């Protein structure tokens, strides 16, 4: 029977059983005493790393240890925007690899990630923005990535509810557009990767917090957890906003600052916007989910914190700017607000790297923009761990760049205020 027909049959059968009896998408094993590789962090990047370790390198004696639930960190808290419109060649390579992987991932995982390439529009509000935008579009195109410049009339045609009047408080002078950019359903990404990694033999262990990183003679030997000691000659740490905490467990200090980043969703509306609109200058990004809710986010709160909340004044300012740009939102009610802790490097680029401890690898620093990088990051990090050397995609993102000075400044491409 064709797979599609089987899925429909299964859906109907389970609906008639009041949705009781669905098989689990992944096992819930007890931790084993030892593995070939331990991945700390069950977000999208950790799960993608485990999936590609098994798929690309035949390394499946792997445990993913997650202190809470899968995708409960930034993976399940982000605003789901995917794109690859980055300025520098190094970033373009890894983010576009990721976008290309996303384009085929629902089919590969046989799991609907709801990838929607509806176009990402980045607004320019002043002359400086326009000059910067022209430079970026040219650089992006030189890397073979789709990018174009829109005039206000083109933007209005794509987003009729946007106020492009020259009288507006934040006048829209133009925009860049990446048509291949869009959104993907964040928790589906975690679940699809988890199911596929589990099917290849990876143990996914939730409610298992890593409390220590064990070392002997400069080599990693395993981890201490709330469920006991687990040995492994290789440990990959992928814990986003908690990277510095885990690094300290191994006696390392990372050039990372952790900040809250907030997002919120509105009550559901009929379809009003069918692309993603971002404004780095006024700190607003908006898209509409399939349920009709507007999904919006702000810039980071500008103080360090591990509290997944954030300050009201940040979203108050962001909503003020949103209403200036989209006057029809003025009487809309917001339903939910939350925060995630993002890990920001001085150059707003990630760290995907070996460390001075043999067998210990870190993948972090994706800051406000790592959801789009999930498959690409996992692909490159799996190679780094399996081969004990970086993949060409992540070689520029090693820890050494902070001593050599070969920084990759992507503050502008982050498109979210830092
Ligand atoms: P996470 O999903 O945070 O996973 C790390 C996991 O590690 C967590 O589940 C955590 O519980 C676990 N962990 C931590 N400490 C331990 C420990 N000691 N032991 C075991 N487990 C531990 N990016 C985009 O590209 N597009 C967007 O639209 C976008 N919007 C965002 C909006 C918001 C509000 C936020 C907060 C972030 C946004 N991002 C966006 C950034 C993106 O969400 C992250 O860069 C990305 O999801 C990081 O994935 P991860 O797997 O590395 O981290
Ligand atoms: O990187 O596209 C992005 C993004 C959008 C919202 C937060 N980060």
């Amino acid at each position: 029977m064709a797979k599609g027909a089987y899925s429909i049959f299964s859906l109907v059968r389970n609906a008639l059983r009041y949705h009781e009896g669905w098989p689990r998408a992944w096992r819930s094993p007890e931790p084993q005493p030892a593995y070939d590789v331990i991945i700390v962090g069950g977000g999208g990047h950790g799960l993608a790393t485990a999936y590609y370790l098994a798929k690309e390198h035949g390394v499946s004696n792997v445990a993913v240890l997650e202190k809470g639930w899968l995708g409960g960190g930034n993976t399940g808290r982000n605003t789901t925007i995917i794109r690859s419109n980055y300025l520098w060649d190094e970033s373009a390579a890894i983010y576009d690899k990721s976008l290309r992987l996303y384009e085929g991932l629902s089919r590969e995982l046989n799991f609907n990630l709801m990838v929607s390439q509806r176009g990402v529009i980045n607004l320019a509000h002043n002359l400086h923005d326009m000059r910067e935008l022209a430079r970026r579009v040219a650089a992006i195109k030189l890397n073979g990535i789709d990018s174009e410049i829109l005039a206000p009339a083109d933007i209005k045609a794509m987003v009729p509810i946007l106020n492009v009047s020259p009288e507006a408080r934040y006048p829209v002078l133009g925009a860049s557009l990446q048509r291949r950019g869009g959104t993907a359903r964040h928790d589906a990404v975690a679940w699809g990767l988890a199911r596929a990694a589990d099917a290849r033999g990876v143990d996914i262990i939730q409610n298992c917090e890593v409390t220590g990183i064990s070392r002997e003679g400069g080599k990693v030997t395993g981890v201490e957890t709330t469920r006991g000691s687990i040995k492994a000659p290789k440990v990959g740490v992928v814990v986003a906003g908690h990277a510095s905490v885990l690094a300290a467990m191994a006696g390392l200090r990372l050039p990372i600052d952790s900040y809250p980043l907030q997002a919120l969703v509105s009550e559901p509306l009929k379809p009003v916007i069918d692309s993603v609109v971002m404004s780095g200058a006024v700190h607003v990004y908006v898209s509409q989910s399939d349920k009709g809710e507007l999904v919006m986010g702000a810039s980071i709160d500008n103080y360090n914190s591990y509290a997944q909340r954030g300050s009201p004044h940040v979203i108050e300012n962001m909503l003020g700017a949103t209403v200036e740009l989209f006057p029809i939102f003025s009487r809309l009610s917001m339903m939910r607000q939350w925060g995630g802790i993002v890990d920001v490097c001085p150059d707003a680029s990630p760290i995907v790297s070996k460390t001075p401890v043999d067998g210990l690898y870190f993948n972090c620093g994706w800051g406000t923009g790592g959801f789009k990088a999930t498959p690409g990051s996992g692909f490159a990090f799996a190679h780094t761990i399996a081969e004990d050397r970086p993949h060409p995609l992540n070689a520029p993102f090693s820890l050494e760049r902070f001593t050599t000075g070969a920084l990759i400044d992507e503050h502008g491409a982050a498109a979210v205020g830092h």
Side-chain angles (χ1 to χ4, degrees):
M1 197 186 303
K3 261 186 188 157
Y6 175 78
S7 306
I8 291 166
F9 176 68
S10 160
L11 191 65
V12 172
R13 193 185 49 188
N14 283 291
L16 292 174
R17 292 196 306 210
Y18 300 99
H19 292 286
E20 284 178 6
W22 281 96
R24 282 181 182 273
W26 53 84
R27 298 163 297 129
S28 189
E30 285 303 310
Q32 298 300 305
Y35 290 91
D36 291 338
V37 178
I38 289 172
I39 301 295
V40 186
H45 289 234
L47 292 164
T49 306
Y51 169 66
Y52 287 114
L53 271 170
K55 175 176 177 246
E56 301 289 332
H57 305 279
V59 182
S60 56
N61 184 22
V62 175
V64 176
L65 307 181
E66 165 54 49
K67 75 173 174 186
W69 67 95
L70 293 192
N74 291 347
T75 297
R77 292 166 186 270
N78 71 75
T79 46
T80 76
I81 299 170
I82 58 174
R83 55 189 176 84
S84 60
N85 51 354
Y86 279 66
L87 179 64
W88 299 107
D89 299 352
E90 297 86 345
S91 322
I94 193 161
Y95 285 102
D96 205 53
K97 167 75 179 175
S98 199
L99 189 53
R100 279 185 280 115
L101 287 171
Y102 262 128
E103 285 167 345
L105 208 54
S106 293
R107 180 178 292 269
E108 181 177 323
L109 302 178
N110 188 25
F111 201 100
N112 187 1
L113 308 183
M114 296 168 71
V115 173
S116 162
Q117 292 180 290
R118 58 183 73 178
V120 172
I121 295 172
N122 287 83
L123 302 177
H125 299 283
N126 53 49
L127 213 52
H128 170 79
D129 279 1
M130 282 304 290
R131 287 199 188 113
E132 181 63 16
L133 185 147
R135 173 187 179 222
R136 279 174 185 280
V137 167
I140 293 163
K141 282 161 77 170
L142 280 173
N143 274 313
I145 297 172
D146 71 300
S147 186
E148 57 198 273
I149 295 180
L150 301 181
D154 308 322
I155 308 169
K156 187 73 181 168
M158 282 187 73
V159 191
I161 61 170
L162 184 70
N163 180 10
V164 298
S165 156
E167 310 308 321
R169 178 154 175 210
Y170 307 113
V172 175
L173 303 193
S176 66
L177 167 66
Q178 184 180 22
R179 291 187 191 271
R180 284 169 59 238
T183 57
R185 168 80 192 236
H186 50 12
D187 38 19
V189 172
W191 300 335
L193 287 165
R195 188 178 73 163
D198 172 88
R200 288 176 183 270
V202 170
D203 280 2
I204 295 170
I205 302 163
Q206 302 181 73
N207 297 312
C208 182
E209 180 170 356
V210 170
T211 53
I213 295 181
S214 319
R215 289 154 291 148
E216 254 174 50
K219 281 188 176 104
V220 86
T221 55
V223 295
E224 295 300 321
T225 81
T226 46
R227 293 170 68 175
S229 310
I230 310 178
K231 293 207 175 307
K234 292 184 174 183
V235 174
V237 180
V238 205
V239 294
H242 288 80
S244 309
V245 177
L246 271 288
M249 291 179 193
L252 303 174
R253 190 151 178 249
L254 296 176
I256 292 269
D257 272 307
S258 294
Y259 301 96
L261 178 67
Q262 302 183 65
L264 56 171
V265 291
S266 73
E267 61 188 320
L269 299 177
K270 293 242 166 91
V272 288
I273 176 168
D274 63 1
S275 52
V276 180
V277 175
M278 309 187 69
S279 166
V282 299
H283 310 310
V284 171
Y285 35 98
V286 185
S287 66
Q288 189 167 20
S289 76
D290 290 359
K291 282 192 280 182
E293 299 160 354
L294 295 173
V295 182
M296 305 182 196
S299 58
I300 59 171
D301 286 22
N302 51 6
Y303 57 84
N304 298 132
S305 172
Y306 289 116
Q308 298 189 114
R309 287 198 295 271
S311 314
H313 75 269
V314 175
I315 45 175
E316 203 174 351
N317 287 345
M318 169 260 162
L319 285 171
T322 305
V323 172
E324 300 273 355
L325 288 171
F326 299 96
I328 72 155
F329 296 166
S330 64
R331 275 167 292 156
L332 196 62
S333 299
M334 294 299 137
M335 284 202 312
R336 295 189 301 280
Q337 168 277 347
W338 63 90
I341 304 306
V342 296
D343 44 341
V344 181
C345 284
D347 58 354
S349 281
I351 295 167
V352 186
S353 183
K354 295 177 66 169
T355 71
V357 178
D358 266 1
L360 181 65
Y361 310 85
F362 265 76
N363 181 340
C364 57
W366 293 95
T368 62
F371 174 65
K372 67 178 82 64
T374 302
S377 149
F379 179 86
F381 197 42
H383 177 283
T384 307
I385 295 173
E387 305 278 330
D388 194 36
R389 65 187 159 88
H391 187 278
L393 284 171
N394 65 299
F397 299 104
S398 71
L399 273 169
E400 282 80 48
R401 79 177 188 275
F402 299 102
T403 45
T404 62
L407 301 180
I408 304 163
D409 186 344
E410 287 290 4
H411 278 95
V416 175
H418 283 83

